[in-house]
Amino acid sequence: MSTAIASRIDTAEQALSVAHDLAAHFATGAVARDRDRKLPYREIDQLSASGLLAITVPSRFGGADLPPSIVAEVVRILATADPNIAQIPHSHFVYLNLLRLAADPPQQRDLFEAVLGGSRIANAQSERGGKTVADITTTVRADRGVLRLDGSKYYCTGSLYAHTLAVLARLDDPDHKTGLDEGEYVAFIPADAAGVRIVDDWNGLGQRTTGSGTVTFEGVSLRRDQLVARARAVGAPAGYGAFAQLLHVAIDAGIARGALSAATEFVRNRSRPWFEAGVERAIDDPLVIQRVGELAVEVISAEATLKSAGEAVDATFVAEADATAERAAAASIAVATAKIVADRASNEVSSALFEVSGTRSAAADLGLDHFWRNARTHTLHDPVRWKYQHIGRSLLHDTPPPLHGVI
């Protein structure tokens, strides 16, 4: 896979402008890509070439170093057009943040420079078969003086489009041959390395073109400088989990806005009024007006809480030395709140699209169901019921949310 030659983005205004332009372009053909599962290789190359994937590279390495709130807004804008494309770089941004927080300067330099040139990172994190999703059986072992990576990963979003895979693994070194502390590491390896097999087997009902298939690793050779200790980021009050979750919120908020826009366009131009309303146009039906107003409140609320949460996460990025447990906890609670609101909005509005648009909107060739399928699939990433728990405990018990990277 070739690396795109990327433009440079220097300001938030430039990033948002480019995102809007790309979203308008990606919206064309989004329904067909979803319906036919046409993988957006060309569109992802265009996203790389735009420079948007490098906007979080720290300024000391030549990047724009834009804050989380701007990254979230870029993702939200893209998700209004094609939630698949918006989700593909999620782990790219998350693992760039891991590098910022936990990697050594030489590791940072090599990968940040590659990203500035258009390189893409994707995750190989989740596994099956364990008691919970947190159980990791993929291992790094020392074998005759060489580090070897072995295991299988699932739901590897963006892996089909990646130049580098960020692989979550457990260091298995009972005899202390590596000189590294045991624990969880992220191995940054070329996607085309020997022993890596990327399988296009993702068959979800939504987010169908995200490239979220299976990746296996069989005796993949590693150097020590390809390993980054995950605990340095996850275990510190640095907003690592809040940033990752913020981008999920942005995808859901974008789906909600996209569904509302599709619904209003359909009602304006294609729906017929119900005969009992006694009006000539569907847009004059008072019950339709009421329901669209209710849906708009859901979407606007999701966007407002996303913005507020983004500002809270920004505060954890101001200066690493100034990061505090209180600031990180506040960011996680703000993002958890936004996640609940966006989860509800994306699922409700994408379903109610048909309610306000009428029978005509259910025609399969229109593909309007992709909003609901994408919302229903994406919002399964982590249960909002646990968000309520963390919010309630913070208020009643003064208990900060845990540092596990998922809140």
Side-chain angles (χ1 to χ4, degrees):
M1 183 182 297
S2 61
T3 303
I5 299 175
S7 300
R8 293 296 178 96
I9 289 176
D10 299 313
T11 67
E13 293 75 16
Q14 186 183 3
L16 297 177
S17 176
V18 171
H20 279 294
D21 289 344
L22 283 177
H25 173 63
F26 293 158
T28 303
V31 170
R33 286 193 299 271
D34 179 87
R35 181 186 61 237
D36 303 330
R37 198 173 177 273
K38 182 180 178 182
L39 299 175
Y41 286 105
R42 182 179 64 179
E43 288 79 8
I44 296 303
D45 280 343
Q46 292 169 339
L47 181 61
S48 289
S50 74
L52 283 177
L53 298 186
I55 59 175
T56 63
V57 171
S59 56
R60 65 182 180 276
F61 293 101
D65 210 358
L66 296 184
S69 58
I70 298 301
V71 184
E73 181 61 7
V74 165
V75 170
R76 187 199 68 81
I77 291 167
L78 295 176
T80 64
D82 188 331
N84 292 269
I85 289 176
Q87 189 184 346
I88 288 166
H90 175 276
S91 56
H92 171 92
F93 287 119
V94 170
Y95 284 109
L96 288 182
N97 191 32
L98 180 95
L99 289 171
R100 180 184 72 89
L101 293 170
D104 296 329
Q107 295 171 313
Q108 293 173 330
R109 183 185 62 250
D110 290 347
L111 284 166
F112 285 144
E113 287 182 356
V115 168
L116 285 169
S119 184
R120 299 184 288 267
I121 300 171
N123 86 90
Q125 178 170 299
S126 187
E127 296 186 9
R128 295 175 184 164
K131 184 177 180 180
T132 74
V133 71
D135 295 327
I136 302 300
T137 61
T138 296
T139 58
V140 174
R141 293 187 175 94
D143 179 16
R144 288 172 289 187
V146 178
L147 293 175
R148 303 287 186 185
L149 174 70
D150 292 277
S152 297
K153 298 290 186 176
Y154 304 88
Y155 316 119
C156 301
T157 297
S159 56
L160 292 178
Y161 316 100
H163 302 97
T164 299
L165 296 174
V167 188
L168 178 59
R170 177 174 50 83
L171 179 64
D172 185 7
D173 187 22
D175 299 324
H176 305 288
K177 296 178 180 178
T178 65
L180 298 170
D181 293 332
E182 287 195 323
E184 291 184 350
Y185 286 79
V186 175
F188 289 86
I189 63 174
D192 59 357
V196 176
R197 182 168 177 255
I198 301 174
V199 184
D200 180 17
D201 60 355
W202 170 238
N203 65 348
L205 63 87
Q207 297 297 91
R208 300 180 66 218
T209 64
T210 55
S212 301
T214 300
V215 182
T216 60
F217 307 92
E218 185 175 352
V220 179
S221 297
L222 294 176
R223 303 184 311 273
R224 281 185 51 165
D225 64 2
Q226 291 176 282
L227 295 173
V228 176
R230 186 170 181 264
R232 294 180 190 171
V234 176
Y240 178 79
F243 175 69
Q245 289 295 300
L246 181 71
L247 301 188
H248 282 308
V249 176
I251 294 167
D252 295 338
I255 294 173
R257 174 58 69 179
L260 181 63
S261 297
T264 54
E265 190 278 335
F266 199 94
V267 173
R268 283 174 176 170
N269 299 304
R270 305 189 67 169
S271 295
R272 293 186 297 177
W274 184 244
F275 70 94
E276 291 179 283
V279 296
E280 294 296 322
R281 303 179 302 172
I283 59 172
D284 296 323
D285 183 331
L287 299 184
V288 171
I289 292 172
Q290 173 74 20
R291 187 65 177 125
V292 169
E294 293 169 349
L295 299 176
V297 169
E298 294 287 338
V299 175
I300 294 168
S301 297
E303 293 170 345
T305 52
L306 171 65
K307 184 176 186 296
S308 177
E311 292 170 352
V313 180
D314 285 353
T316 70
F317 277 54
V318 171
E320 293 170 34
D322 294 334
T324 64
E326 292 79 10
R327 194 178 295 174
S332 286
I333 293 302
V335 174
T337 302
K339 183 70 167 65
I340 291 168
V341 176
D343 182 296
R344 182 174 60 229
S346 62
N347 283 297
E348 180 178 357
V349 177
S350 60
S351 176
L353 182 160
F354 301 98
E355 175 189 333
V356 298
S357 300
T359 307
R360 291 181 176 185
S361 64
D365 63 300
L366 297 176
L368 293 176
D369 61 310
H370 82 278
F371 292 107
W372 180 84
R373 289 186 292 99
N374 290 332
R376 183 64 281 173
T377 301
H378 181 257
T379 54
L380 295 174
H381 270 80
D382 53 284
V384 294
R385 58 186 178 272
W386 275 98
K387 310 299 183 187
Y388 287 108
Q389 287 287 311
H390 295 310
I391 294 167
R393 289 171 184 173
S394 72
L395 289 172
L396 295 174
H397 301 160
D398 292 323
T399 303
L403 294 173
H404 54 44
V406 195
I407 185 169

